[in-house]
Amino acid sequence: MKDKDLRKRVPYHIQRDVLDELGVDQVAEKSDFKISAVILFFSIFKIFSFSLFNRCTGPRFKSCFLSFVPLLTWLPRYPFRENAIGDLISGISVGIMHLPQGMAYALLAAVPPVFGLYSSFYPILIYFIFGTSKHISVGTYAVMSVMIGSVTERLAPDSDFMIPGNDTNSTSLDIVSRDAERVKIAATVTFLSGIFQVLLLGLVRFGFVVTYLSEPLVRAYTTAAAIHVIVSQLKYSFGINPQRYSGPLSLIYTIIEDCALLGQTNIGTLVVSIVTIIGLVAAKELSALAARKIPIPIPVELITIIIATVVSWQMDLKTEYGVEVVGKIPSGLQAPVAPAVSLLGSMVGDAFALAVVGYGIAISLGRIFALKYAYKVDSNQELIALGLSNSIGGLFNCFAISCSMSRSMVQVSTGGKSQVAGAISALVILVILLKIGELFEELPKAVLAAIIYVNLQGMMKQFGDIRSLWRTNKVDMVVWVMTLILTVLFNPDMGLAASIAFSILTVVFRTQLPKYSILGQVPGTDIYKPVEDYNQVKEIPGIMIFHSSATLYFANAEMYIDALYEKVDSHKHPTHIYSQAYSFTHNYSAVSAFNQGEEPKFSDTDESGEEAEANGDVHKLSVKEPKDVGAVEVGPDPDTDTTLPQAIILDLSPVNFLDTVGVKTLRNVRHNPYCVVESMENGDFFNEKVTKSILFSSVHDAVLYCQQGNSEEVQYILMSYTHTRISEVS
């Protein structure tokens, strides 16, 4: 409140000359140095070579190596007394969560449940060495698992593993061969996605691609992926065996197939599913209430699978009621296996989608915790850590991983303060793999499906985003809805690409449909606002200031001209506008000046070269007397004033780049400015007749210039580039 009052009391008063671009160049002593493409290339090559051969020696090499392996930096300084107990409790708690979640998410990837545990163990150890985030829990993740599942089911469908039975027309499914092939496919696509993350996104610093994953897009995408997850698990909840579909609209076909097979529902499986879901929801609610008194979260999911396994074993659900169970779980670790090179070509798109989505989710969550606990997460190092986790994990039959919000929240809430918690959870998983895993062979798959349903309730709550986005930003709401639809219809891999394309198109559409307005001066200031939005803002007599809310380029150049002519006609101004300038990156304004009632002879095709030279000498109209920035008269209402204007100012503040079409457009209108200025220079825009004196540092300079000139002499389109914020002129 005090700051606002202070701004009201302190007068804003500056006196200076009205400066055109030539004047600015003289005062600021503009450098003539320009970076050509060749110079830029050799400069980058020189810096890279110098860094590689000269700086990566001795201390520099040590620093490089330590940044690549962060474990060697923070582990020797690990505060054992402060963090050890919290990391131990947190690691055990999260490790216990990995057991049910890993087995459940393996079903999403269409591989045997034990590989979900492998996919949690190896990546956690690798991330422990190379990762920089202290609080995220890497491992299996529902969205990544369902993306893996779409690949495995597409490349290894059940139909490829049908073997003839004893009867002439009977066939049976070779589950062992199918699962072995799917494990190989999942491991190979994981390996390839890791290579993409390490080489393409990490070392080449290509991680900027995740900037195209806006928050509405990511939230809608994860919601759509959750729908895919739920539909894929319906067969385990109802005990049916629908045909598997892949490709676009496969989700719709699967739902239709499931509905057609509801008459074959296994009642025992359905009862197990319903009881498990109700029990899990109730237990989680009680656990949330007890969390205020109990520092360690209750392992609801672990308790659930233990009870379900015991009940299934005692009641022999598999034999008596036909309930499908997990089956054999081999103990111990597997030796590394080379990826199937022959499959790489058929999964490049899937691997790249996995790389981008996995990194986008992990870095988003990592930054949230880094901001909360005041430390820095190296985004490129995170890419390398995730890439190594996936590429090395793929050699051990793991499938792609990312980080989980639920596990990360448990890790933080139980006192985890460093990556040591992750290492301890990996040890818990190792014990399960070696000794405990085989005890869960009688666990019903319907229980794992129920665990997935309950864990996805947070994602399903994201449907509430539609309502909030409708109130705040309707374009983002459209992006959200379209991302959901595209991902549901085209599957997570193709849906991601389509969603990003649509999101980018919305930016293009917004530039194609900008708001065009006439600006007037806020009384007593050098601030200009749309006259239709403010009652006290009036147009300056004899001057029309035309403003567009978007940049000027090929997609909206014609609409820009049409809107300008429409505004001119509506204000009883001449319909012919001439200009020879452009607008460029720093936010600019162009001024279009006319003599009263006749077209200025300004172009290269003027009838008289002498007259054109006289008209082109804008310097003789320069105002050299210091002027008060607020000294601009606001005259009669332009709606009732039929006097033709001396000038039209094109406010190019939002213009941050200019392509060739934009340059030609401004030549046809005539005149613009700076990065803009550099583009004009490169495009041979300036000559003896058209100099930088048509460019001004602000709209206000252009207005003062026009007001100080004689109406008979001001015959040209002038330009000014303003450094005010876009919000001040839009």
Side-chain angles (χ1 to χ4, degrees):
M1 189 68 183
K2 292 182 179 180
D3 292 339
K4 292 182 179 179
D5 294 338
L6 183 62
R7 287 197 295 269
K8 291 179 180 178
R9 290 197 301 269
V10 177
Y12 178 74
H13 184 80
I14 297 175
Q15 287 192 344
R16 61 171 175 82
D17 291 342
V18 176
L19 295 175
D20 55 28
E21 183 65 14
L22 285 175
V24 173
D25 287 353
Q26 293 171 1
V27 173
E29 298 181 0
K30 182 180 179 182
S31 171
D32 293 332
F33 176 76
K34 294 183 179 180
I35 300 178
S36 66
V38 176
I39 294 176
L40 181 62
F41 172 78
F42 281 107
S43 298
I44 295 174
F45 178 77
K46 181 178 179 181
I47 293 172
F48 175 78
S49 302
F50 182 75
S51 300
L52 181 63
F53 297 109
N54 294 342
R55 296 195 175 188
C56 289
T57 59
R60 294 272 181 187
F61 177 79
K62 179 181 178 181
S63 176
C64 253
F65 183 74
L66 291 178
S67 65
F68 181 71
V69 188
L71 174 72
L72 301 178
T73 301
W74 64 263
L75 188 59
R77 299 197 298 265
Y78 177 73
F80 188 83
R81 292 184 178 179
E82 293 83 356
N83 294 355
I85 299 299
D87 285 339
L88 177 64
I89 297 174
S90 175
I92 294 174
S93 301
V94 174
I96 291 173
M97 290 184 67
H98 276 290
L99 172 61
Q101 289 189 3
M103 297 176 69
Y105 295 157
L107 296 183
L108 298 178
V111 297
V114 68
F115 291 96
L117 299 180
Y118 291 147
S119 300
S120 295
F121 173 66
Y122 291 105
I124 289 175
L125 286 181
I126 299 168
Y127 186 85
F128 171 69
I129 299 173
F130 297 100
T132 59
S133 181
K134 300 178 182 179
H135 296 91
I136 67 172
S137 173
V138 298
T140 55
Y141 184 61
V143 174
M144 305 292 288
S145 299
V146 75
M147 293 176 70
I148 290 287
S150 67
V151 181
T152 56
E153 292 182 351
R154 185 184 77 241
L155 298 181
D158 288 346
S159 58
D160 290 352
F161 301 93
M162 304 302 294
I163 56 178
N166 295 329
D167 298 334
T168 305
N169 296 325
S170 65
T171 58
S172 61
L173 177 63
D174 187 354
I175 297 178
V176 175
S177 300
R178 183 203 64 182
D179 289 349
E181 183 65 18
R182 288 182 175 179
V183 168
K184 182 171 66 174
I185 293 171
T188 302
V189 72
T190 297
F191 172 81
L192 185 57
S193 70
I195 295 299
F196 278 142
Q197 288 174 324
V198 173
L199 297 182
L200 184 59
L201 303 181
L203 297 180
V204 186
R205 299 296 194 263
F206 200 62
F208 72 88
V209 294
V210 298
T211 59
Y212 294 105
L213 302 178
S214 64
E215 183 179 357
L217 188 149
V218 171
R219 291 176 66 85
Y221 180 79
T222 54
T223 304
I227 295 175
H228 278 277
V229 170
I230 292 173
V231 172
S232 68
Q233 298 304 294
L234 291 177
K235 61 182 179 181
Y236 298 114
S237 299
F238 290 93
I240 56 181
N241 188 26
Q243 180 181 348
R244 295 179 183 272
Y245 297 93
S246 61
L249 302 180
S250 61
L251 183 74
I252 307 301
Y253 296 142
T254 302
I255 293 176
I256 295 174
E257 181 79 7
D258 288 344
C259 293
L261 294 176
L262 286 180
Q264 303 176 17
T265 299
N266 184 298
I267 302 301
T269 302
L270 182 60
V271 170
V272 169
S273 299
I274 295 174
V275 171
T276 304
I277 292 173
I278 295 174
L280 277 172
V281 172
K284 282 184 175 288
E285 292 296 328
L286 293 175
S287 178
L289 295 175
R292 302 174 183 176
K293 300 181 179 180
I294 303 175
I296 302 176
I298 300 174
V300 174
E301 294 165 339
L302 178 63
I303 295 173
T304 299
I305 65 172
I306 292 175
I307 295 175
T309 302
V310 172
V311 171
S312 175
W313 172 57
Q314 289 292 327
M315 299 183 63
D316 196 10
L317 295 180
K318 178 181 179 181
T319 304
E320 297 294 331
Y321 301 96
V323 176
E324 187 176 2
V325 297
V326 169
K328 183 175 179 58
I329 299 179
S331 60
L333 301 176
Q334 292 193 349
V337 179
V341 179
S342 60
L343 297 174
L344 294 178
S346 60
M347 54 181 62
V348 173
D350 303 288
F352 188 78
L354 283 166
V356 173
V357 173
Y359 171 66
I361 294 171
I363 195 62
S364 299
L365 195 56
R367 286 173 176 169
I368 291 173
F369 287 112
L371 181 63
K372 182 177 181 179
Y373 295 101
Y375 63 90
K376 183 180 179 181
V377 172
D378 187 337
S379 58
N380 281 296
Q381 182 61 30
E382 286 296 289
L383 261 174
I384 293 173
L386 286 173
L388 291 174
S389 298
N390 282 324
S391 56
I392 297 176
L395 300 177
F396 290 90
N397 289 330
C398 300
F399 55 84
I401 56 96
S402 185
C403 68
S404 165
M405 172 64 83
S406 61
R407 292 195 305 267
S408 299
M409 292 302 297
V410 169
Q411 180 169 319
V412 171
S413 64
T414 52
K417 297 180 180 179
S418 72
Q419 295 95 316
V420 171
I424 294 174
S425 66
L427 294 178
V428 173
I429 298 172
L430 179 61
V431 172
I432 295 173
L433 284 170
L434 295 178
K435 299 295 182 182
I436 303 177
E438 58 188 12
L439 300 178
F440 295 97
E441 293 180 353
E442 294 299 318
L443 175 65
K445 289 185 177 180
V447 174
L448 296 177
I451 291 174
I452 292 173
Y453 296 149
V454 176
N455 284 337
L456 291 178
Q457 61 180 331
M459 289 186 184
M460 303 310 294
K461 291 179 180 179
Q462 293 177 159
F463 274 104
D465 292 352
I466 298 177
R467 182 179 179 182
S468 61
L469 290 174
W470 174 260
R471 296 195 306 265
T472 57
N473 192 313
K474 291 181 174 58
V475 175
D476 283 346
M477 186 214 67
V478 173
V479 171
W480 199 103
V481 173
M482 287 303 300
T483 299
L484 179 77
I485 294 173
L486 291 171
T487 306
V488 166
L489 294 181
F490 297 130
N491 289 344
D493 47 1
M494 295 176 59
L496 176 64
S499 300
I500 293 176
F502 180 81
S503 180
I504 295 174
L505 280 177
T506 60
V507 178
V508 177
F509 291 152
R510 280 189 256 193
T511 62
Q512 284 187 300
L513 302 172
K515 178 183 178 182
Y516 298 105
S517 55
I518 302 299
L519 302 185
Q521 186 186 30
V522 177
T525 72
D526 62 348
I527 298 173
Y528 296 83
K529 294 287 186 178
V531 294
E532 64 268 22
D533 294 341
Y534 298 87
N535 295 328
Q536 297 301 319
V537 173
K538 302 295 182 182
E539 287 190 60
I540 299 169
I543 300 174
M544 187 185 82
I545 306 174
F546 179 73
H547 169 77
S548 170
S549 62
T551 192
L552 178 61
Y553 70 118
F554 71 92
N556 63 4
E558 184 176 351
M559 288 179 283
Y560 183 90
I561 295 297
D562 292 342
L564 176 59
Y565 288 162
E566 181 181 349
K567 293 291 184 182
V568 169
D569 290 340
S570 66
H571 281 68
K572 305 179 181 63
H573 295 329
T575 57
H576 298 288
I577 302 175
Y578 294 87
S579 155
Q580 286 187 346
Y582 307 63
S583 82
F584 309 83
T585 58
H586 271 350
N587 300 341
Y588 299 102
S589 302
V591 181
S592 214
F594 307 84
N595 72 3
Q596 302 257 355
E598 64 179 63
E599 299 177 4
K601 297 178 180 180
F602 187 77
S603 66
D604 294 337
T605 60
D606 287 339
E607 297 176 2
S608 171
E610 181 179 354
E611 183 177 357
E613 182 177 357
N615 289 342
D617 186 9
V618 186
H619 281 295
K620 66 182 181 182
L621 300 179
S622 299
V623 180
K624 299 303 180 182
E625 296 295 329
K627 294 293 176 182
D628 189 328
V629 295
V632 176
E633 288 187 24
V634 177
D637 190 335
D639 292 335
T640 60
D641 184 15
T642 60
T643 303
L644 294 176
Q646 297 176 357
I648 294 177
I649 298 176
L650 304 181
D651 176 20
L652 303 175
S653 305
V655 176
N656 56 0
F657 69 91
L658 199 64
D659 62 4
T660 56
V661 176
V663 170
K664 291 178 181 178
T665 299
L666 289 174
R667 278 185 173 176
N668 293 334
V669 177
R670 287 193 211 276
H671 291 309
N672 288 17
Y674 178 77
C675 162
V676 177
V677 175
E678 183 178 350
S679 297
M680 295 168 77
E681 292 174 339
N682 294 336
D684 296 327
F685 180 83
F686 299 112
N687 52 42
E688 294 179 356
K689 301 174 184 178
V690 183
T691 67
K692 289 184 181 179
S693 59
I694 63 171
L695 305 182
F696 290 86
S697 298
S698 70
V699 170
H700 197 64
D701 280 289
V703 170
L704 292 175
Y705 174 82
C706 292
Q707 287 191 325
Q708 294 299 323
N710 295 323
S711 61
E712 294 82 4
E713 295 176 311
V714 182
Q715 297 179 353
Y716 309 101
I717 294 190
L718 313 176
M719 305 190 53
S720 66
Y721 56 94
T722 173
H723 295 273
T724 55
R725 293 170 297 181
I726 293 178
S727 60
E728 294 178 350
V729 293
S730 62

